[in-house]
């Protein structure tokens, strides 16, 4: 039985990756410090004999007993609301955390896949974004703590690959959605669905002309799984190329939820990208991958998940508190 370590295991994507690797017959070691993850996302795995959980902050030295075949580094805040509240922790997990896990991969002779992001492209001047585009990033802007953490993560990963001959994989993740997203994490799909379920107006930032593309979580996990097992060491975009304006997307949510919410507009946050759409030509070529699940189907599954939340969860204004993780 092959053994895989998944950091950020209690997060949205991390928990789905745990499920996938368990279903493929792996022994899964999940690691999380719950700074943004939620124990609820992995509680269904508590009695699985092939799952072990370790509560740990990967910015501290990581020790794993026994062999390891693969490491997937998904520990990081991923929501703007989160990483603006915990900027230093965001930088540390992308730098110190990645360094620790690359060192572990080297010691265990394991292949490591790191979770990068479409944010490495910043507010892009090229559209759609392909892997050979270097990006348009404001390193000292408020979003720079996330963008630059991920760019450093890619750099040090390639350094370990070139200098130590480490087997590395880099996935650039574009907007992904599905069950287990946090309702109030600031991202557009849970924000819109939560507002609709509470009978609130839908909040659009800017004039709504900015575009996004949304990949359902099962498609994303499939792309990540194929990339890990591939022979390709450079970054690969995994996302859905079907683009939509935020205005049109808000109208889709109103129709899906059967509500009659108004759309209200607020000021666009600093450095918020106006266009975000992956060029997935490379993923098609080397992984034979492209998304299969339509937005209609994926949104319905996600909406059903949010409808299943308790009233307390639905109306809780703040889902994460970071006081215990912040050192003054």
């Amino acid at each position: 039985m092959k053994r895989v370590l998944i950091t950020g295991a209690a997060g949205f994507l991390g928990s789905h990756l745990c499920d996938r690797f368990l279903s493929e017959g792996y022994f899964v070691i999940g690691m999380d410090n719950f700074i943004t993850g939620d124990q609820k996302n992995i509680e269904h795995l508590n009695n699985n004999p092939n799952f072990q959980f370790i509560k740990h902050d990967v910015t501290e030295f990581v020790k794993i007993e026994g062999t390891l075949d693969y490491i997937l580094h998904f520990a990081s805040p991923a929501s703007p609301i989160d990483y603006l509240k915990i900027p230093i922790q965001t930088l540390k997990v992308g730098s110190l955390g990645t360094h620790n896990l690359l060192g572990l991969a080297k010691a265990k002779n394991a292949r490591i896949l790191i979770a990068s992001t479409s944010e490495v492209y910043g507010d892009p001047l090229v559209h759609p974004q392909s892997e050979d585009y270097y990006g348009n990033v404001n390193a000292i802007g408020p979003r720079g703590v996330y963008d630059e953490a991920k760019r450093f993560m890619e750099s040090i990963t390639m350094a370990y690959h070139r200098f130590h001959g480490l087997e590395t994989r880099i996935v650039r993740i574009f907007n992904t959605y599905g069950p287990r997203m946090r309702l109030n994490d600031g991202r557009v799909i849970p924000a819109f669905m939560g507002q609709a379920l509470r009978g609130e107006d839908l909040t659009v930032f800017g004039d709504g002309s900015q575009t996004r593309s949304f990949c359902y979580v099962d498609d994303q996990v499939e792309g990540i799984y194929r990339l890990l097992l591939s022979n390709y060491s450079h970054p690969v975009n995994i996302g859905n190329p079907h683009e939509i304006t935020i205005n049109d997307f808000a109208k889709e949510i109103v129709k899906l939820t059967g509500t009659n919410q108004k759309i209200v507009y607020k000021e666009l946050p600093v450095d918020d990208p106006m266009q975000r759409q992956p060029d997935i030509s490379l993923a098609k070529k080397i992984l034979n991958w492209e998304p299969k699940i339509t937005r209609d189907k994926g949104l319905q599954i996600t909406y059903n998940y949010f409808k299943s939340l308790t009233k307390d969860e639905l109306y809780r204004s703040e889902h994460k508190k970071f006081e215990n993780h912040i050192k003054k």
Side-chain angles (χ1 to χ4, degrees):
M1 181 177 286
K2 290 193 173 182
R3 287 161 52 91
V4 57
L5 169 66
I6 300 175
T7 72
F12 161 53
L13 259 179
S15 64
H16 284 279
L17 285 165
C18 289
D19 291 342
R20 175 61 186 268
F21 279 86
L22 286 166
S23 75
E24 297 286 350
Y26 289 76
F27 184 90
V28 175
I29 303 167
M31 183 172 285
D32 208 299
N33 67 343
F34 300 120
I35 187 169
T36 57
D38 192 331
Q39 199 156 4
K40 180 182 176 183
N41 290 336
I42 52 172
E43 62 184 9
H44 64 288
L45 303 177
N46 286 345
N47 297 321
N48 190 318
N50 294 327
F51 180 73
Q52 175 189 0
F53 181 76
I54 301 172
K55 185 179 179 183
H56 183 69
D57 179 350
V58 298
T59 66
E60 306 290 339
F61 180 77
V62 180
K63 183 179 180 181
I64 299 292
E65 300 291 344
T67 61
L68 271 182
D69 296 285
Y70 302 111
I71 298 170
L72 287 89
H73 180 27
F74 278 72
S76 175
S79 152
I81 283 182
D82 290 346
Y83 58 70
L84 294 178
K85 288 181 178 178
I86 44 173
I88 295 169
Q89 289 80 357
T90 301
L91 284 160
K92 286 174 69 175
V93 76
S95 55
L96 300 178
T98 304
H99 191 198
N100 285 336
L101 291 159
L102 287 164
L104 178 66
K106 180 173 175 285
K108 298 287 187 180
N109 195 27
R111 181 181 299 177
I112 182 169
L113 181 147
I114 62 139
S116 187
T117 171
S118 59
E119 292 287 343
V120 299
Y121 300 121
D123 188 4
L125 305 176
V126 171
H127 195 72
Q129 295 83 56
S130 60
E131 291 85 352
D132 57 3
Y133 175 52
Y134 295 154
N136 177 40
V137 177
N138 179 2
I140 60 170
R143 296 172 74 103
V145 298
Y146 183 69
D147 302 357
E148 294 301 331
K150 294 295 188 179
R151 287 160 71 94
F152 175 84
M153 176 189 275
E154 291 193 10
S155 292
I156 193 172
T157 297
M158 289 307 299
Y160 264 75
H161 171 71
R162 294 186 179 113
F163 189 78
H164 292 299
L166 191 67
E167 285 218 31
T168 58
R169 306 290 181 265
I170 300 172
V171 58
R172 288 180 179 163
I173 297 169
F174 282 70
N175 293 63
T176 304
Y177 70 99
R180 301 180 198 158
M181 292 189 87
R182 276 181 26 227
L183 190 61
N184 290 337
D185 76 351
R187 286 180 276 195
V188 65
I189 288 179
F192 280 175
M193 288 189 174
Q195 288 171 331
L197 284 166
R198 292 188 295 266
E200 301 167 358
D201 295 335
L202 303 193
T203 303
V204 169
F205 294 96
D207 62 6
S209 63
Q210 67 268 39
T211 65
R212 294 293 184 270
S213 55
F214 301 102
C215 185
Y216 186 67
V217 62
D218 289 357
D219 283 331
Q220 182 65 239
V221 166
E222 177 66 26
I224 292 166
Y225 186 79
R226 292 189 189 193
L227 177 58
L228 176 72
L229 299 182
S230 76
N231 293 316
Y232 193 78
S233 58
H234 285 75
V236 178
N237 291 338
I238 300 292
N240 193 315
H242 297 292
E243 190 179 20
I244 185 172
T245 69
I246 295 299
N247 262 334
D248 288 342
F249 187 63
K251 293 172 186 175
E252 279 192 8
I253 296 296
V254 170
K255 182 179 178 182
L256 167 70
T257 58
T259 54
N260 192 30
Q261 268 55 61
K262 291 188 299 181
I263 299 173
V264 297
Y265 297 87
K266 293 187 176 181
E267 187 176 351
L268 192 69
V270 175
D271 296 328
D272 197 55
M274 289 304 296
Q275 290 184 302
R276 187 57 61 75
Q277 180 191 16
D279 180 335
I280 61 168
S281 303
L282 186 61
K284 287 180 178 179
K285 179 181 177 182
I286 66 171
L287 306 178
N288 191 28
W289 176 90
E290 61 182 313
K292 305 291 186 188
I293 297 169
T294 64
R295 193 166 62 242
D296 286 350
K297 181 179 179 182
L299 287 176
Q300 186 63 63
I301 297 169
T302 307
Y303 183 56
N304 290 343
Y305 167 77
F306 285 128
K307 283 198 297 184
S308 74
L309 297 178
T310 65
K311 192 171 182 180
D312 176 63
E313 290 171 321
L314 180 62
Y315 283 89
R316 194 184 306 156
S317 60
E318 177 55 78
H319 281 232
K320 279 291 172 184
K321 297 186 183 299
F322 301 115
E323 288 86 350
N324 293 336
H325 299 274
I326 296 174
K327 295 177 182 177
K328 296 291 188 182

